[in-house]
Every structure is written in C-alpha cells, then in structure tokens.
C-alpha cells in the first residue's frame, strides 16, 4: 500500500481509514518520506477548535523552497519547472528549468534582502501572470518574508486596503500586463493605491508591456538591473513549521476582506500530497492549471503543489478567448498537456462556441481534467467529458476554499468512479460532516445540510491576519467544535458529496468569491443612493451573476436611470474591481425588512431568480407593501 499515490479504490478506502484512525502515523509517514526537513518535528499536530488553535509539525524547521526547488536539482535540474505561455500566441513560450528557477529565485530573494526585507515582513505582489510572479512568491518564501499576492484585476482602492491591512512596506508590480486584446496598466494603479499607503517604502517594477510609466524617486526601482547584479545563490531561511508562509485575502460576507494566514509545514505537506493524488501526476507529465496566481488555486496548484512534486507546470498569461476561442485547446496541443485544471465558468463559456474550436487540436495527451471554484452543472460536465476528455479522461471536480489551502473533496482519477456534479469523496485526512440548523450532525446517507469539517487538516488557514476573533467567529462559532465552510452539501446513497452552494452572503461569480457587503458599501457611496442590497441569481455562463436592488434618496427626481446605473457600476469597479460589477440594477422604493431592520435577502434572491410564486414566510416583514412593487418592477 502506498500512502502517497493512491492507485485503486480499495487502496483509497484503506488509506482513508488509516488517516482517520491514526492521523499522527498517516501524516508522519507522508512528511517523512516525501519532504526535506532541517529539523524534525516534536509533535505531528495539536488542536483546539474552541480557541481555536491548530498546529502541525510543531518544532520542525524547514524551508518550502528547498522542497520546491533545491532538492530536485541533482535529479531533475534540467527538467522544465515552469512553461510560460505568453498572451500573444506569436511570442515564444519560455521554458524555465529547475536550475534556472533556483537562480532566479535566489537572485530575487537577494534583491528583497537588499531592500531590507526580513523574515516575517509582508511583501505585496501585484503582478500579471508572468514568470516574475511565481519567482517573487518563491523568493519571499526563500527568505521567510510573508507574501500577499493581490490579483492584478483588483482596483487601486482594493489594493490599498490589502496593503494597509497587512502593513506591507514593499510592493512588487509591473508596468502593465497583457490580457487578450487589452493592455492593462498596473503601475498607475499602484501609484494611486499608494497615495493611501504611507508605510510603503519601496516599489519594484518588472517590465512587461514597455509602457511608459512614472517612477517616483527613491521609492520606485526597475527590477531587471537589480536582478542582473544580484548574487545567484541565497541560503534558504530556516522556518518554524508554524511560521506564516503567506496571506491571501478572500471576501467575507461582511466588512473588510479577510487576510487568511497560511503557515509553512502543514501547507507544504498538504498541497504536495493532494497535487500528487488529485492529478495523478507522474514524472514526465505536463500539468496546466488556468487559474491566476492571485487566487488560492494558483498558489497551491500552479506554484507550490506542482513544484513540490518536481512537476512541469504551465503558466498562461492570457484569457481563454484570445486570439480566438480555441486558445486553451491550442495550448494543450502545443505543450502536450497531460493534466488540465480549469473553472466551470470557462467551460460553459467555451461550450457555447463552435465545436470546431475543440476539434482542430490534438488533445490526445490529456489524462486528467479538473474543475474548481463553483459547482459544475451537468451540461458543462458532459460537454467537458465528451469534447475535451473524449470520454477517456476522468474529471476531478475539486471542492475546496482559500481557507482550506488545498483540495478537500475530490475524486482521485482512475480510482474514484465519477458522477457528474459530485465532488465525490473526501481526500485522506478530511472528515466532512453535515449539520442541521439546530447544530446537530445529520448522519447517514441521502441527506442534505451545512458542510463542516470536524477534524483539523494540515493546510487549514490558522487565523485571519490581525483579527483572530473574526476567524473564530466566521469559522468556528456557527457549529461548536467544527470548522464551518459556509457551503451547503448533500450526501447521496453511496456517501458521495455534492456541493450545493454558499449558504451565506458570499456569491460566486465566474469562480470569483464576492461578498455582498463591500459591493453594497460601494453602491451606497453614490450620493443619490439611500440604500442597497445585492444578491446572486443563476447565470448561464458565470454560474451566478449579481442583481442589485437600489433605493434612491429621491426616486425619479429627473435623473437619468441609465446614467445612474453606469455610475454605480463605475463606483463598484473603482472600489473593488470590474469583476464585482452588477449585471442588473433595479431601482426600488424600499427594501423588504424585518422588524429588527434586517433586509430580507431571501425575498430579493427569489425576485432576482424569478421565483416569485412562493416567497415563503413574509409575516415578519415590517413593510410588506414594497414586495409587490419590487416584483412588478423586476428586470428580466
Ligand atoms: C468557495 C471557495 C478553492 C479554489 C477556488 C475558490 C466554491 C469551490 C467548488 C466545487 C462547488 C465549489 C465553494 C467554496 N467551490 N470549489 N468543486 N464545487 N463549489 O476558492 O474563492 O475561496 O471560494 O468556492 O462555495 O466555499 P474561494
């Protein structure tokens, strides 16, 4: 029996049972046999979900980049670590070997050190999908600095909030980036953001678009000359197992984004282990995940998970539709991709296009297809299975979260029989349970409830940066002694899990996690707006789209409503980013509220989804008269 690479269903059940009965032994063997440590741990794990406090491999010393890079050098130094596929198909792809990656990471790490970055300091990375981003991530980890990658589609305001929250003193960015036919200027966004970030002392700028940018004296430096002068070796900082590795912000249902803190050893073991199994990666495979490194999927399954396994990982700069809708499939053919991991929203968008786009290319190298980010609907699942996998590549529908660090529930390819729309079974070490609204566990099969995890796993986020109370409140207070995911799920007759979606005020739009509160805050900043409520409604391609109900201070007071809609969306775009723009804006005379003043979103969700025949109990409404008005004026 191999703990590390599960090859049959029988073995899965054996390994799973072992991981539950004797988690210490299970995680000890994996850590021992597949990773490099500078000092051994004293204890495999300890936890207290009441506090909450979770620790893995305490007492151990290590550096994750030594595991991602150095230990591969003598066996696969010339192997390609990263294939960079540029946005423009006529620009040559770049192959970065493990040896080259080592040099680049060391040089970058030395540059950071020269600017005074020390262990524990936060470094904000605001970069397009170019190799510098992966290198910067690893360079931070090399010296024990905590990276905070901010997706380069976020606005200046969203960027400054994130920089200030973790008090980063250095920002790494680029002149701009290419995405499809668009050239995006990034440096001006950073300049704007930094007007509100007095503590940032240094901005390192990579060149990509060659756009002319303003460089602020003393603060701003071009990266390239610094890198070329930097020394090409850098000793990996010895980290404690529980030292923070990175912060990554994710939306909450209320308030500021949450800076999820991931620590070193547990995150390493878990992402390495899950990558190997969920993608069934073997030595000469080429693996491609289409996510952006600005999201957790990119952290865990473009950078860390693949590199921990000595894999070849593809990094694509552009979008699925450029220069045409065949680009993904063209890249698969070009780089002979074996494992392909993408989001349901991309599949749905491409499935709408002419089938010739998929037929033009040789996809026969594919062995495993993956999806992540939201529930995949049956139609998209079949399209993916038939047209991309040619019914030969198993689809792994991987369920997890920024907070979980790694994949939690997923089929193992060629092991777990798949069922469309089901994430199927928990990975070894993961103990999901379903809870009812009274806080009791729902046992047995063919049941539905709120999805919790009752036992710690190595890659779980340890806290919210600077706000442990919020961490406790968000994840450990709804169901005592359990981690609450915020998702609903059902368990079928064979024990397979199907995720049914968020049960809180988080909406997943095109695989992006968006909280309603920050969007409402942005809308409410408009001087004409009295109040607003944002809900999600089902959308063919995006999965969910955003519907805003907006009450104006003065209704219809001679204002042009189309203009107002644009202004509101512009505000959202400025405050958060274009991904949070509303698809539909309905102006209302009021919002349905309970006697305690809480907006009854349940009703608004039904209106937005055009399910107004049964609104459920409305007896607690303070202002039932607005409901009919809202239904009558609903926008289709
Ligand atoms: C939320 C987490 C994890 C990487 C990308 C998203 C939803 C994620 C699935 C799936 C159904 C899924 C959940 C989860 N989700 N994967 N396979 N099936 N829903 O990370 O931005 O933290 O979002 O995405 O609702 O809670 P994230």
């Amino acid at each position: 029996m191999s703990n590390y690479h599960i090859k049959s269903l029988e073995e899965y059940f054996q390994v799973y049972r072992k991981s539950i009965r004797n988690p210490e032994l299970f995680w000890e063997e994996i850590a021992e046999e597949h990773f490099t440590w500078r000092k051994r741990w004293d204890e495999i794990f300890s936890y207290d979900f009441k506090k909450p406090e979770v620790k893995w491999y305490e007492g151990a010393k290590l550096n994750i980049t030594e595991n991602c890079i150095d230990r591969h050098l003598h066996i696969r130094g010339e192997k390609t670590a990263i294939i960079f596929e540029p946005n423009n198909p006529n620009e040559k792809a770049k192959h970065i070997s493990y040896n080259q990656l080592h040099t680049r990471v060391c040089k970058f790490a030395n540059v950071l050190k020269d600017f005074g970055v020390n262990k524990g300091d936060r470094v904000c990375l605001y970069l397009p999908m170019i190799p510098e981003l992966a290198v910067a991530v690893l360079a931070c980890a090399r010296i024990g600095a905590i990276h905070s990658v901010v997706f380069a589609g976020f606005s200046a305001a969203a960027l400054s909030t994130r920089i200030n929250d973790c008090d980063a003193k250095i920002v790494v960015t680029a002149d701009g980036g290419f995405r499809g036919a668009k050239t995006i200027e990034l440096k001006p966004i950073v300049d704007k953001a930094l007007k509100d970030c007095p503590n940032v002392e240094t901005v390192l700028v990579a060149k990509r678009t060659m756009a002319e940018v303003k460089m602020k004296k003393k603060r701003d430096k071009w990266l390239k000359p610094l890198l070329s002068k930097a020394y090409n070796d850098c000793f990996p900082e010895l980290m404690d197992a529980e030292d923070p590795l990175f912060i990554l912000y994710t939306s909450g249902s209320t308030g500021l984004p949450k800076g999820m803190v991931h620590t070193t050893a547990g995150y390493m073991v878990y992402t390495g282990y899950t990558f190997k199994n969920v993608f069934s990666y073997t030595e000469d495979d080429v693996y491609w995940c289409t996510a952006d490194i600005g999201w957790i999927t990119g952290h865990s399954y473009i950078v860390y998970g693949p590199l921990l396994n000595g894999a070849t990982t593809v990094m694509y700069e552009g979008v699925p539709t450029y220069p045409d809708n065949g680009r993904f499939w063209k890249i698969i053919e070009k780089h002979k991709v074996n494992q392909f991991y993408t989001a349901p929203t991309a599949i749905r968008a491409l499935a709408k296009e002419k089938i010739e786009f998929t037929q033009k290319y040789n996809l026969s190298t594919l062995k495993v297809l993956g999806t992540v980010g939201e529930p995949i609907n049956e139609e998209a699942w079949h399209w993916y299975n038939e047209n991309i996998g040619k019914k030969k590549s198993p689809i792994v529908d991987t369920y997890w979260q920024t907070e979980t660090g790694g994949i939690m529930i997923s089929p193992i390819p060629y092991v777990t029989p798949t069922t469309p729309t089901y994430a199927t079974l928990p990975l070894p070490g993961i103990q999901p349970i379903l809870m009812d609204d009274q806080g009791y566990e729902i046992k047995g099969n063919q049941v539905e409830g709120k999805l919790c995890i009752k036992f710690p796993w190595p890659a779980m986020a340890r806290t919210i940066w600077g706000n442990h109370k919020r961490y406790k409140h968000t994840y450990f207070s709804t169901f005592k002694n359990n981690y609450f995911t915020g998702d609903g799920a059902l368990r079928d007759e064979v024990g397979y899990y199907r995720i049914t979606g968020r049960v809180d005020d988080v909406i997943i739009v095109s695989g992006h996690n968006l909280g309603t509160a920050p969007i409402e805050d942005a809308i409410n900043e408009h001087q004409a707006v009295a109040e607003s409520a944002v809900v999600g409604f089902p959308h063919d391609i995006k999965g969910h789209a955003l519907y805003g109900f907006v009450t104006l201070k003065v209704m219809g007071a001679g204002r042009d409503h189309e203009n107002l809609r644009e202004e509101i969306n512009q505000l959202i775009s400025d405050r958060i980013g274009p991904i949070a723009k509303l698809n539909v804006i309905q102006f209302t005379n009021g919002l349905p509220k309970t006697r305690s003043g809480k907006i009854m979103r349940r009703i608004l969700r039904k209106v937005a989804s055009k399910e107004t025949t049964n609104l459920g109990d409305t007896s607690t409404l303070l202002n039932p008269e607005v409901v009919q008005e809202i239904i009558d004026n609903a926008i289709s």
Side-chain angles (χ1 to χ4, degrees):
M1 181 174 94
S2 154
N3 276 334
Y4 199 66
H5 191 181
I6 296 167
K7 298 227 176 67
S8 72
L9 194 58
E10 198 191 342
E11 202 174 64
Y12 162 78
F13 284 116
Q14 273 175 19
V15 170
Y16 185 78
R17 268 195 301 273
K18 175 174 171 183
S19 76
I20 305 307
R21 283 191 193 144
N22 197 342
E24 281 89 355
L25 181 66
F26 176 76
W27 290 111
E28 174 153 55
E29 282 175 3
I30 288 173
E32 210 157 50
E33 288 164 24
H34 300 279
F35 298 91
T36 298
W37 306 86
R38 287 292 179 120
K39 178 180 170 283
R40 211 184 143 84
W41 46 86
D42 302 319
E43 198 177 10
I44 295 294
F45 68 90
S46 62
Y47 81 108
D48 175 352
F49 275 2
K50 282 202 191 74
K51 265 185 181 171
E53 185 180 79
V54 175
K55 290 178 176 169
W56 283 83
Y57 304 107
E58 233 201 331
K61 295 230 182 252
L62 72 152
N63 186 288
I64 195 169
T65 69
E66 203 171 7
N67 282 272
C68 286
I69 308 171
D70 303 54
R71 66 169 165 148
H72 301 312
L73 298 181
H74 68 287
I75 31 176
R76 45 176 89 89
E78 287 307 306
K79 178 177 173 176
T80 299
I82 297 174
I83 299 176
F84 170 65
E85 171 69 21
N87 178 62
N88 179 348
N90 301 321
E91 190 183 324
K92 253 184 112 186
K94 291 201 176 77
H95 289 245
I96 302 168
S97 69
Y98 275 91
N99 282 329
Q100 289 166 332
L101 186 62
H102 180 261
T103 305
R104 288 182 69 164
V105 168
C106 285
K107 278 173 165 273
F108 206 120
N110 286 326
V111 169
L112 291 174
K113 275 191 180 166
D114 284 345
F115 282 93
V117 178
N118 289 313
K119 178 175 173 178
D121 291 348
R122 277 78 58 209
V123 177
C124 174
L125 308 178
Y126 186 72
L127 283 155
M129 277 290 283
I130 55 177
E132 283 83 349
L133 175 52
V135 171
V137 161
L138 294 163
C140 289
R142 188 81 174 174
I143 61 172
I146 302 169
H147 54 78
S148 166
V149 183
V150 177
F151 173 59
F154 276 117
S155 68
L159 175 61
S160 64
T161 306
R162 287 160 175 77
I163 291 172
N164 288 332
D165 184 73
C166 70
D167 196 23
K169 297 197 174 51
I170 178 164
V171 177
V172 183
T173 189
D175 46 5
F178 299 119
R179 277 179 74 75
K182 285 191 230 157
T183 301
I184 292 150
E185 295 195 344
L186 292 178
K187 179 63 169 48
I189 298 179
V190 172
D191 291 339
K192 195 168 164 201
L194 294 192
K195 290 199 176 121
D196 298 320
C197 306
N199 294 343
V200 172
E201 292 155 8
T202 309
V203 179
L204 302 178
V205 190
K207 271 198 178 153
R208 176 59 182 145
T209 60
M210 303 296 162
E212 227 177 272
V213 302
K214 282 203 196 99
M215 297 291 275
K216 190 170 167 185
K217 268 216 181 108
K218 291 206 175 121
R219 189 193 69 183
D220 301 351
K221 302 273 187 295
W222 291 109
L223 248 176
K224 206 169 168 195
L226 297 169
L227 287 170
S228 57
K229 276 190 302 206
Y231 185 54
N232 63 10
D233 202 359
C234 170
F235 185 76
E237 184 79 33
L238 282 193
M239 304 300 286
D240 287 334
E242 284 297 336
D243 278 338
L245 174 64
F246 65 86
I247 300 168
L248 185 60
Y249 287 88
T250 186
S251 317
S253 40
T254 56
L256 287 173
K258 300 171 286 192
M260 303 314 306
V261 177
H262 283 284
T263 57
T264 306
Y267 177 83
M268 172 181 82
V269 170
Y270 195 72
T271 52
Y273 177 67
T274 51
F275 174 78
K276 179 77 180 171
N277 279 289
V278 172
F279 300 103
S280 194
Y281 185 86
T282 50
E283 182 64 31
D284 294 316
D285 292 343
V286 174
Y287 161 89
W288 179 24
C289 164
T290 69
D292 191 290
I293 293 176
W295 310 114
I296 190 71
T297 310
H299 282 60
S300 301
Y301 300 109
I302 295 177
V303 182
Y304 288 114
L307 298 178
L308 285 164
N309 286 280
T312 299
T313 175
V314 177
M315 228 183 126
Y316 172 46
E317 181 180 31
V319 296
T321 50
Y322 183 79
D324 63 38
N325 292 301
R327 187 63 188 279
F328 271 6
W329 325 126
K330 189 184 169 92
I331 295 174
I332 291 174
E333 175 183 277
K334 177 176 174 188
H335 296 300
K336 302 190 172 58
V337 170
N338 302 109
Q339 291 91 358
F340 177 67
Y341 191 28
T342 195
T345 183
I347 298 168
R348 286 191 296 264
L350 296 172
K352 283 222 161 12
E353 303 301 332
K354 288 202 205 80
I355 199 67
E356 288 79 48
F357 283 118
T358 67
Q359 291 165 340
K360 273 209 303 223
Y361 302 102
N362 179 357
L363 305 178
S364 66
T365 49
L366 287 172
K367 295 194 279 193
V368 178
L369 299 177
T371 75
V372 60
E374 58 185 311
I376 179 164
N377 50 308
E378 195 140 358
E379 206 185 335
W381 194 98
H382 286 296
W383 184 88
Y384 198 30
N385 183 38
E386 284 158 29
N387 298 292
I388 307 305
K390 319 281 181 200
K391 296 193 178 165
K392 284 192 305 230
S393 298
I395 296 177
V396 291
D397 175 354
T398 65
Y399 167 77
W400 58 299
Q401 309 179 294
T402 304
E403 294 86 337
T404 69
I407 297 166
M408 302 291 278
I409 305 180
S410 168
I412 294 174
Y414 303 98
V415 169
T416 320
T418 58
T419 301
T421 76
Y422 280 77
T424 75
L425 297 171
L427 292 178
I430 304 306
Q431 302 191 37
I433 55 172
L434 298 177
M435 306 295 274
D436 67 17
D437 289 330
Q438 281 67 50
Y440 293 107
E441 182 177 351
I442 310 169
K443 297 215 165 129
N445 288 350
Q446 283 190 297
V447 291
E448 185 166 355
K450 293 184 172 155
L451 180 63
C452 291
I453 315 289
K454 71 170 179 194
F455 198 79
W457 64 100
M460 65 191 295
R462 304 295 196 257
T463 189
I464 292 173
W465 184 263
N467 201 343
H468 197 65
K469 235 165 120 182
R470 187 175 180 198
Y471 173 74
K472 177 175 177 162
H473 179 256
T474 310
Y475 304 106
F476 295 93
S477 66
T478 318
F479 299 103
K480 287 220 162 51
N481 261 320
N482 285 286
Y483 167 85
F484 177 40
T485 61
D487 286 303
L490 60 83
R491 189 164 52 221
D492 75 0
E493 58 285 355
V494 298
Y496 274 17
Y497 287 88
R498 176 187 184 169
I499 312 302
T500 50
R502 301 291 310 186
V503 294
D504 56 9
D505 291 331
V506 171
I507 305 170
I508 303 193
V509 178
S510 299
H512 300 311
N513 212 334
L514 298 169
T516 52
I519 304 176
E520 288 159 8
D521 290 347
I523 301 171
N524 298 347
E525 272 183 50
H526 195 290
Q527 49 171 16
V529 172
E531 64 173 350
S532 62
V534 172
V535 298
F537 68 99
H539 185 277
D540 274 2
I541 291 177
K542 300 175 174 197
H544 280 93
L546 300 174
Y547 194 123
F549 295 89
V550 178
T551 310
L552 300 177
K553 286 179 185 153
V554 186
M555 267 305 265
R559 286 211 57 150
D560 176 347
H561 278 181
E562 253 344 284
N563 262 348
L564 254 181
R565 288 193 171 93
E566 272 170 33
E567 286 168 17
I568 287 172
N569 264 334
Q570 188 55 46
L571 257 172
I572 295 173
S573 197
D574 290 346
R575 293 298 175 265
I576 302 161
I579 47 176
K581 281 195 199 171
L582 305 178
N583 258 53
V584 181
I585 299 178
Q586 177 180 349
F587 295 105
T588 62
N589 281 318
L591 298 171
K593 288 191 186 157
T594 63
R595 279 164 221 284
S596 59
K598 212 170 170 250
I599 297 171
M600 234 196 224
R601 287 164 191 281
R602 182 169 54 78
I603 291 179
L604 298 177
R605 263 184 227 120
K606 292 209 161 180
V607 174
S609 319
K610 302 186 193 55
E611 290 169 22
T612 46
T613 43
N614 177 15
L615 288 179
D617 180 19
T618 53
S619 62
T620 57
L621 275 181
L622 184 70
N623 50 352
E625 71 284 354
V626 303
V627 175
Q628 197 53 47
E629 185 253 344
I630 288 178
I631 295 175
D632 292 344
N633 295 316
I635 297 171
S636 51

